[in-house]
Amino acid sequence: KDVEQFRSCLKSIQDLSPDARVFCLIHKMDLIKNETDRMKLLERKRKELTEIAGNRQLTVFRTSIWDETLYKAWSEIVFQL
C-alpha cells in the first residue's frame, strides 16, 4: 500500500509541480539493532524507491524519533528548499 501511495504522489508531483524535489524519510530505523543490517535495509529501500521514481531525483533519509536523525533530516530538507 505504501508503494502504491508513493507512485500516486509521484504522479501528482509530475503533473502539478514537475520541478519539485522529493524527500523520503525511512522511519523507525532504530528498531533494527545491528548497524550493518540498518544500512543494508536503507540501501534496499533507497534502491526500491529510486526504481519506482524513474528519472526523478530522490533524497532518502533514515530516521528515528529516539536520536538526532529526524532533526538532521528535516534540517537538511529545509536547507535544500
Side-chain angles (χ1 to χ4, degrees), residues 29-43 62 67-69:
M29 292 297 284
D30 58 288
L31 296 178
I32 302 165
K33 301 302 178 196
N34 183 291
E35 180 65 21
T36 302
D37 292 341
R38 236 182 274 157
M39 293 307 295
K40 286 179 184 177
L41 176 64
L42 179 65
E43 286 310 312
R62 77 176 200 192
D67 62 21
E68 74 286 348
T69 55

Side-chain angles (χ1 to χ4, degrees), residues 10-48:
L10 287 176
K11 183 179 179 337
S12 293
I13 290 169
Q14 184 61 39
D15 293 345
L16 301 172
S17 188
D19 296 328
R21 295 181 181 183
V22 177
F23 302 93
C24 300
L25 281 64
I26 309 300
H27 292 297
K28 296 191 175 187
M29 292 297 284
D30 58 288
L31 296 178
I32 302 165
K33 301 302 178 196
N34 183 291
E35 180 65 21
T36 302
D37 292 341
R38 236 182 274 157
M39 293 307 295
K40 286 179 184 177
L41 176 64
L42 179 65
E43 286 310 312
R44 190 168 65 237
K45 289 294 183 184
R46 184 188 320 269
K47 183 178 177 186
E48 177 185 3

Side-chain angles (χ1 to χ4, degrees), residues 2-6 11 16 27 29 34 43 55 59 63:
D2 290 337
V3 171
E4 289 175 28
Q5 190 165 11
F6 182 63
K11 183 179 179 337
L16 301 172
H27 292 297
M29 292 297 284
N34 183 291
E43 286 310 312
N55 293 331
T59 305
T63 62

Side-chain angles (χ1 to χ4, degrees), residues 21 23 59 61 71-81:
R21 295 181 181 183
F23 302 93
T59 305
F61 299 96
Y71 174 77
K72 283 183 175 181
W74 280 113
S75 295
E76 181 68 24
I77 291 167
V78 169
F79 181 76
Q80 288 188 37
L81 297 178

